[in-house]
Amino acid sequence: MTHSSSNSTNSTGGFSNTDGSDSTGGSSNTDGSNSTGTTGGTARNAWDELPIRDELRGQSPYGAPQLDVPVRLNTNENPYPLPEALVDRIAERVREAARDLNRYPDRDAVELRTELARYLTRTAGHEVGLANVWAANGSNEVLQQLLQTFGGPGRTAIGFEPSYSMHALISRGTGTGWISGPRKDDFTIDVAAARAAIAEHRPDVVFITSPNNPTGTAVDAGTVLALYEAAQAAGPSMVVVDEAYGEFSHHPSLLPLIGGRRNLVLSRTMSKAFGAAGLRLGYLAADPAVVDAVQLVRLPYHLSSVTQATALAALEHTDTLLGYVGRLKDERDRIVAELRALGFDVTDSDANFVQFGRFADSHTAWQQILDRGVLVRDNGVPGWLRVSAGTPAENDAFLAAVRELKKEHDA
């Protein structure tokens, strides 16, 4: 059985899932309720009175709840502040850059791309160089540039849902038609069904998210190659592997797969492993032809001098920052083990977050955890919630909250 436009799952762990609806893992509203990006066809937004594009009518912006609570574990941020030595180095680099702010930044970000290539070569098991790497303002801008280049009006993209909802939202924003592909009940990709969907719809862009958000599941190299082959037979199509959480995985990076495959792209971010969500720096690795192609749509001087300087400073402290990643991986594995010991269903996780359930009403469970001072994420996957791995103290608070919740439910 697979997930696509509908989802029906059995329940275990003492919590019964009575909701048979499905979700693309869409954005949550500020009150904590979930949205797949629409208003359900009833409520109207103020902007609907404007002459906006038809496909944007009735939609809702992406965003997670921002609530003032003691423990916030809902946006997959790295909980560790940057070390003082790095903060000092950022200040030095930015001070140097500030002397030339009357001039435009390096349009091609040569130094930054060179250092990103060195980082990937050292940590991801495949040699890449300047010509293979492109950078932008967060991985979302990277994905937007890819869709502007290879998608657009009259073209389509496919993703396997539930997955990162921005894939569908950026597709819509670029005028690219969106196709929701299938997953199995364990949230892994159904390879046979996915290949069939690609053959049927002949999409121009195929998204594969590994580790997947919000489920945390990793995708093996064999699955990526099977879908890549299907996409080339049906297209040829661009295949984008979104590895935003790649550094947290138990498995090697999928970067080596780009070798000899011109239509395969791997995207990354500095928001998670580097603890630099406020920096907004994403990047891709691909054949040089892809890097050249996305520059057809990039805005002039899109990466500021300050952004480039800050990212370069962070790359100088890679070993320290990856040490924090190791701590978070240990904490994630502890959360998985303790939730399972309590009787919850937990999806195998290769990210810095954990999907757990199952609940008869996930929004009610979300509120009950919030009432205990801990904010987690209701992504709209029926019966499931997602918690980000935090500091040991934050994770202790979360586990204490769900123990109380489980005890009340079982009473």
Side-chain angles (χ1 to χ4, degrees), residues 194-196 198-199 225-235 237:
R195 285 174 61 94
I198 291 170
L225 292 177
L227 300 191
Y228 181 84
E229 292 168 1
Q232 303 322 300
S237 306

Side-chain angles (χ1 to χ4, degrees), residues 56 71 79 89-90 104 107 153 159 222 234 242 313 362 367-368 403:
L56 298 180
V71 179
R89 183 58 179 141
I90 289 172
Y104 287 116
R107 180 181 59 197
D242 187 338
S362 54
Q367 184 64 56
Q368 291 171 333
R403 283 192 196 99

